[in-house]
């Protein structure tokens, strides 16, 4: 590995030269001053691409044998581990997303909805050059596993970086489900819970807008970042038809090269207050909410079970349960589950054991996903999947793709929802969904809040 230190700069500005390219990602610790935000990465100019779509999995445009997980694992193994450690946890590897629907490659699950946005279900680039920024130390580096020439090429383009204000974005959102229909379907989830089918399901809705002319996905990301800075934020171009602009607050899986795993499921939400007193009261109410704590505990148990498939016996622990964490627009209850992987188990094995995340499915997981498919109005697509980097050394970090705009050449989609448990109230669930989706809808100037 070749490492060159560079001057600190705003990672968003540094990414600008690559913002219009079909495979480029900014993994952005956007919550400045937040202890959860340290590393930002620019993954640019991949040497290989992997895309899963309706015709199968392709590598550099050619269809290959294998399911998406197998192909991703195989392509990572072809490159191997870096020779030396870099200055940050990630110094080269795969960056991309896994759509929620990839769960069908792991379990027998229904899919009654069409892919109405015409987008892939997985897309990764493999990157041998990464630009890293350390927010804590205000330092930066370029690391290259592809030699000096590759490093110099990226360094030269980085030197041309300049940023202009985002383009004005006017548009109108429409909901796939009216308020009355959303609440009715939450009531159907409650019927399933009352009947003993499930304990919890994560029910969600979608808002759609036509993409304004001249507005890029990077424009939308910068607008979202200003409204809702988040520790696991990201902008990712995933081929010619898909861009993800994410302000995710939720880590899915973090894996060290020596096999230590952490997941941080979120369940439980209240809005930030308008005053310091109201804000503190909302945080205290969330901490003491029996309903939200029960919701969180169910998912902790689910994640403990999923991790137990690949973890060393006795290594799964819960060092933090139902802690209140505060973000730009909401307070959340967040728990931490840790484990140690068994020997010869790698990052893709860990994904197979746990994907999709329990916080955005429900418990029991498979039955909850069947009910989600029955009652939701559309495919989730990337939403509720994961955005991840996977190092050539076997390390990984990933975020649940919530609080995320899904951007195509024609349209923009914004999803939100919440966990439904036995004492959920449909009207309150709808209001919670609106709190979560508000920053996404706010990225369009005249969007307003759909009725």
């Amino acid at each position: 590995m070749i490492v060159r230190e560079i001057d600190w700069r705003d990672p968003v500005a540094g990414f600008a030269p690559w913002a219009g390219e079909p495979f480029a990602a900014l993994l952005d610790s956007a919550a400045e001053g937040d202890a959860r935000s340290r590393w930002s990465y620019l993954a640019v100019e991949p040497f290989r691409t992997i895309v899963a779509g309706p015709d199968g999995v392709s590598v550099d445009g050619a269809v290959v044998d294998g399911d998406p997980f197998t192909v991703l694992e195989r392509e990572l193994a072809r490159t191997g581990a870096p020779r030396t450690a870099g200055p940050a946890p990630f110094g080269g590897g795969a960056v991309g997303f896994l759509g929620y629907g990839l769960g069908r490659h792991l379990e027998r699950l229904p899919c009654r909805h069409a892919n109405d946005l015409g987008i892939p279900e997985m897309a990764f680039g493999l990157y041998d050059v990464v630009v890293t920024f350390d927010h804590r130390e205000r330092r930066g580096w370029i690391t290259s596993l592809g030699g000096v020439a590759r490093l110099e090429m990226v360094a030269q383009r980085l030197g041309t970086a300049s940023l202009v204000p985002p383009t004005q974005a006017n548009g109108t959102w429409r909901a796939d489900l009216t308020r009355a229909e959303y609440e009715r379907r939450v009531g159907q989830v409650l019927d399933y819970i009352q009947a003993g089918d499930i304990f919890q399901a994560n029910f969600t809705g979608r808002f759609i807008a036509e993409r304004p002319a001249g507005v890029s996905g990077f424009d939308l990301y910068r607008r979202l970042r200003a409204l809702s800075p988040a520790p696991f934020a990201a902008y990712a171009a995933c081929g010619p038809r898909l861009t993800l602009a994410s302000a995710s607050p939720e880590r899915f899986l973090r894996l060290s090269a020596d096999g230590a795993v952490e997941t941080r499921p979120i369940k439980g939400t209240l809005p930030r207050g308008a005053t310091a007193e109201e804000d503190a009261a909302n945080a205290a109410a969330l901490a003491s909410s029996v309903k939200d704590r029960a919701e969180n505990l169910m998912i902790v148990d689910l994640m403990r079970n999923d991790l137990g498939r690949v973890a060393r016996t006795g290594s799964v622990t819960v060092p933090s349960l139902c802690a209140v964490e505060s973000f730009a627009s909401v307070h959340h209850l967040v728990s931490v589950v840790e484990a140690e992987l068994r020997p010869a188990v790698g990052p893709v094995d860990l994904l197979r054991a746990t994907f999709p995340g329990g916080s955005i499915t429900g418990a029991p997981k498979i039955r909850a996903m069947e009910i989600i498919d029955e009652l939701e109005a559309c495919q989730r697509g990337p939403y509720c999947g994961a955005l991840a980097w996977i190092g050539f050394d076997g390390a990984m970090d990933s975020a649940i793709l919530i609080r995320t705009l899904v951007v195509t050449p024609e349209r923009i989609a914004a999803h939100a929802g919440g966990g439904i448990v036995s004492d959920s109230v449909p009207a309150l669930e709808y209001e919670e969904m609106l709190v979560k989706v508000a920053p996404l809808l706010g990225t369009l100037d005249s969007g307003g809040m759909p009725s």
Side-chain angles (χ1 to χ4, degrees):
M1 177 183 288
I2 303 167
V3 180
R4 177 182 297 175
E5 186 157 4
I6 58 175
D7 292 336
W8 166 265
R9 69 196 71 190
D10 175 10
V12 176
F15 183 73
W18 294 277
E21 298 192 354
F23 276 93
L26 165 63
L27 307 182
D28 187 16
S29 290
E32 287 285 352
D34 188 316
R36 295 164 297 203
S37 294
R38 181 172 183 183
W39 304 104
S40 287
Y41 301 106
L42 280 56
V44 295
E45 304 188 22
F47 65 88
R48 190 170 301 141
T49 59
I50 308 165
V51 177
D55 298 325
V57 186
S58 64
V59 176
D60 293 337
V63 176
V64 299
D65 292 333
D67 67 82
F69 293 94
T70 299
V71 174
L72 177 60
E73 186 174 46
R74 188 168 66 218
E75 292 304 315
L76 281 163
R78 283 177 58 186
T79 303
R83 294 181 294 277
T84 57
F90 179 56
V95 178
F97 87 96
L98 304 102
Y100 173 86
L102 287 185
R104 296 193 308 277
H105 295 277
L106 304 171
E107 303 284 352
R108 294 187 59 146
L109 292 166
C111 181
R112 70 183 183 91
H113 302 290
N115 181 0
D116 61 346
L117 296 179
I119 55 179
E121 61 181 2
M122 184 187 86
F124 277 85
L126 267 59
Y127 300 88
D128 57 4
V129 181
V130 175
V131 183
T132 301
F133 295 102
D134 182 346
H135 293 258
R136 185 183 303 169
E137 302 292 335
R138 311 293 283 185
R139 298 174 69 186
W141 299 267
I142 303 175
T143 60
S144 175
L145 299 168
V148 174
R150 290 277 288 160
L151 185 150
E152 290 290 354
M153 181 172 60
V154 170
Q156 288 176 11
R157 291 191 69 181
L158 186 66
T160 69
S162 63
L163 207 56
V164 297
T167 302
Q168 184 176 1
N170 295 310
T172 301
W173 297 98
R174 64 168 179 81
D176 282 353
L177 298 173
T178 65
R179 176 169 190 151
E181 184 63 16
Y182 189 96
E183 292 182 13
R184 188 185 74 81
R185 296 189 190 198
V186 170
Q188 290 180 276
V189 177
L190 290 169
D191 290 342
Y192 277 117
I193 293 171
Q194 193 69 29
D197 278 51
I198 52 171
F199 300 108
Q200 178 180 166
N202 190 74
F203 181 75
T204 73
R206 184 179 73 170
F207 298 81
I208 287 280
E210 299 302 314
R211 179 171 168 176
V215 174
S216 70
F218 194 48
D219 289 330
L220 293 167
Y221 173 69
R222 290 165 62 201
R223 287 169 166 270
L224 179 60
R225 189 182 195 269
L227 291 166
S228 186
F232 304 107
Y235 167 89
C238 306
R241 282 201 52 81
L242 175 64
T243 297
L244 302 175
S246 180
S248 177
E250 183 171 357
R251 169 172 279 144
F252 178 32
L253 297 163
R254 180 172 65 181
L255 172 65
S256 67
D258 60 0
V261 182
E262 177 191 80
T263 184
R264 300 177 63 88
I266 288 176
K267 271 288 165 241
T269 305
L270 278 178
R272 300 297 301 263
T275 66
E277 292 77 13
E278 183 184 3
D279 197 53
N282 284 1
L286 182 61
S288 61
S289 168
V290 174
K291 178 257 188 188
D292 289 301
R293 292 181 69 88
E295 189 179 333
N296 193 292
L297 184 59
M298 290 179 200
I299 302 308
V300 167
D301 284 344
L302 189 158
M303 292 306 300
R304 289 174 64 238
N305 179 72
D306 281 356
L307 290 176
R309 300 177 180 181
V310 288
R312 291 179 184 269
T313 302
S315 72
V316 181
T317 61
V318 184
S320 178
L321 184 64
C322 297
V324 176
E325 294 188 3
S326 300
F327 299 86
S329 58
V330 295
H331 300 292
H332 281 311
L333 284 186
V334 184
S335 293
V336 179
V337 185
E338 296 179 345
E340 295 287 336
L341 291 188
R342 297 196 300 266
V345 173
V348 178
D349 297 309
L350 177 59
L351 287 168
R352 288 191 184 101
T354 58
F355 190 84
S359 66
I360 45 74
T361 53
K365 191 173 188 177
I366 303 305
R367 184 65 183 123
M369 292 176 72
E370 292 171 347
I371 292 168
I372 287 167
D373 184 76
E374 174 192 338
L375 296 180
E376 290 187 350
C378 64
Q379 270 196 28
R380 288 184 170 184
Y383 173 66
C384 288
L387 189 77
W389 63 256
I390 307 172
F392 292 130
D393 61 351
M396 177 173 66
D397 206 352
S398 59
I400 297 284
L401 276 171
I402 54 175
R403 318 298 152 78
T404 297
L405 294 173
V406 176
V407 184
T408 75
E410 302 84 21
R411 289 185 283 177
I412 309 167
H415 304 244
I420 312 304
V421 292
S422 60
D423 51 355
S424 291
V425 177
L428 296 181
E429 293 297 334
Y430 184 81
E431 293 294 335
E432 179 181 316
M433 180 273 290
L434 290 184
V435 168
K436 293 173 177 176
V437 82
L440 301 172
L441 304 188
T443 57
L444 296 184
D445 293 328
S446 57
M449 187 67 73
S451 60

